[in-house]
Amino acid sequence: MKKVSRFVNSDILFDVLSRIPVKALLGLKCICRVWHRIISSRSFIKAQMENTEHVLTGFIYQEKFEFCNEDIEIVSYIPVETRGAKVGHMVFNFLPEDVVILASCNGLVCCGSCFPFQEPTLYICNPSIKEWIKVEWPSHHRIENVALAFDPSKDSIDISTKFKLVRVKQDENRDERLYLTFELYSSETGAWRKSNEICQCNNNLIKNKGIYIEGVLHWLTDGDQVLTFDVEKELSWLISVPIPTLEFRTIPEACIGESEGKLHYVLVSEEGLHVWYLEDYYEFKWTLKHYKSLEEIEGEYPRFFLNLKNRVSQRVSVDTNSWMNPLGFKDGVLLMKVRAHIYMYDINNNNNKMTQACSIEDLNSKCTWCPTILPHSLSLIPLNHGDKVPFTPY
């Protein structure tokens, strides 16, 4: 028994466990109290992040009413591993109230109180280990945007988990021109402050809000531009998308996302599926990474699609039954809606593998087409909260 005890507490076990993916570690934590203590330690979590690859595990999906002062409480988790996996609906049941999802970054998720509410609160949480902390949400407005900036590779997690929040507000000046202002929250100070930065922007922020890449946040707008904000330098600028949507006969659908540390722009039109990545921020240089015509997609996946090009080409007005709508993009995986189903399309796969993830019915859909989509990766990142879920061995 003493030999077993010495092995359990040895550096060998620490090293072996630190090379195991998070999904397996979440189960191994329950083997015994010693393993739970090792896997929960900040030094172990740091080593595990250095020894393993941070991979996409799913997309968090929540619909919202566009013209209604009420939030939809249903939140769904669509796993990337579609074989045998089911859509989850109990993602945030560990939080003290129903929430709306706002941002996701490196395993952490930012949520807010559902509207209507009495005391608006922000929650920074890690759904993988069911830990959370509260953040005050002063002067809350329902349509404002809150983004999360968290980079464990730059801010060591040995002592604490540091993060920042950026709140974007839209206002207008005396000339009735719209502009954006920025407010920042730091976990180190525990307070909000207003940035001096102002961005002249007449467009609304739409899909894929607050994507964090190498210290910069990105928001897609409805004006063929991407809003960016450097969190450290507190500078913002607008980047034009590679192809203006006015060049197409139909109303194309687009989204942005991150892959290999670069911003990507995905566009679906009658011409096909295009995926670009931003090569240079200052020269606005985009490079086409992937292209496939609608005829090719239908030919490769006839059991999924029928008359795809004709249906997309005939979409000349906003249609709630949009035939091909890219929802989110992360690590080469495109989540898209085609009629009543959700598909995942891996552009990095040699055969561009496409799988059917779920149906709209699986998401308990309210049939609104303004969903918030957040990519998510399992992580062990701790959030020191007094009400963390207790350890219960199997």
Side-chain angles (χ1 to χ4, degrees), residues 28-287:
L28 293 176
K29 287 176 68 174
C30 300
I31 288 181
C32 66
R33 293 184 181 277
V34 174
W35 283 42
H36 183 276
R37 185 168 59 250
I38 292 174
I39 297 172
S40 300
S41 68
R42 286 184 173 271
S43 58
F44 175 86
I45 295 170
K46 180 182 179 182
Q48 192 272 340
M49 294 183 66
E50 293 173 349
N51 292 335
T52 59
E53 185 180 0
H54 193 67
V55 297
L56 173 72
T57 51
F59 290 88
I60 305 172
Y61 178 104
Q62 185 178 35
E63 294 178 338
K64 61 181 178 180
F65 296 119
E66 191 171 3
F67 304 106
C68 177
N69 288 329
E70 184 177 345
D71 287 315
I72 296 176
E73 300 172 354
I74 301 171
V75 181
S76 302
Y77 192 89
I78 307 173
V80 171
E81 179 52 58
T82 56
R83 185 176 300 175
K86 295 182 178 180
V87 173
H89 297 289
M90 306 295 287
V91 188
F92 299 103
N93 62 334
F94 60 93
L95 293 176
E97 61 175 318
D98 292 319
V99 294
V100 291
I101 56 173
L102 300 171
S104 175
C105 188
N106 290 317
L108 299 186
V109 180
C110 176
C111 308
S113 304
C114 275
F115 193 89
F117 43 68
Q118 293 182 340
E119 297 182 5
T121 302
L122 287 175
Y123 298 94
I124 309 302
C125 65
N126 184 344
S128 305
I129 58 175
K130 297 180 171 56
E131 290 188 12
W132 54 275
I133 58 174
K134 277 186 177 183
V135 173
E136 291 187 3
W137 202 0
S139 305
H140 167 66
H141 192 278
R142 184 171 177 267
I143 62 173
E144 70 186 17
N145 293 279
V146 177
L148 174 63
F150 168 63
D151 189 349
S153 66
K154 293 183 179 180
D155 293 320
S156 177
I157 62 170
D158 286 358
I159 300 175
S160 64
T161 301
K162 301 176 183 178
F163 62 87
K164 289 184 179 179
L165 299 174
V166 177
R167 180 164 61 175
V168 185
K169 290 186 176 181
Q170 192 176 64
D171 207 341
E172 63 180 38
N173 56 24
R174 295 178 180 178
D175 299 327
E176 297 184 353
R177 297 186 61 183
L178 297 177
Y179 65 93
L180 300 173
T181 61
F182 304 87
E183 295 181 3
L184 287 86
Y185 173 91
S186 171
S187 60
E188 294 184 89
T189 63
W192 289 92
R193 65 175 180 82
K194 188 171 182 178
S195 172
N196 294 324
E197 180 69 356
I198 294 177
C199 181
Q200 298 291 337
C201 180
N202 294 316
N203 305 313
N204 297 310
L205 308 183
I206 49 174
K207 287 181 187 174
N208 321 122
K209 303 168 186 177
I211 295 175
Y212 187 64
I213 308 172
E214 299 293 331
V216 179
L217 287 165
H218 307 76
W219 294 261
L220 182 62
T221 76
D222 58 6
D224 293 335
Q225 291 179 314
V226 176
L227 169 68
T228 64
F229 181 78
D230 189 309
V231 179
E232 296 302 322
K233 298 178 182 178
E234 296 186 27
L235 295 175
S236 66
W237 62 99
L238 294 167
I239 298 175
S240 297
V241 301
I243 297 183
T245 55
L246 292 176
E247 294 189 9
F248 299 97
R249 295 189 304 274
T250 62
I251 298 178
E253 298 285 355
C255 74
I256 58 173
E258 181 271 337
S259 184
E260 299 178 344
K262 293 184 180 295
L263 176 67
H264 284 62
Y265 178 76
V266 182
L267 179 73
V268 174
S269 72
E270 71 271 11
E271 300 297 329
L273 170 65
H274 301 76
V275 181
W276 290 270
Y277 68 89
L278 185 61
E279 193 169 332
D280 190 293
Y281 272 90
Y282 302 102
E283 296 182 0
F284 302 166
K285 182 180 179 181
W286 294 88
T287 299

Side-chain angles (χ1 to χ4, degrees), residues 314-331:
Q314 291 170 6
R315 183 173 180 259
V316 294
S317 62
V318 176
D319 180 7
T320 57
N321 289 320
S322 168
W323 257 84
M324 205 166 186
N325 185 0
L327 301 175
F329 183 81
K330 173 69 174 175
D331 294 344

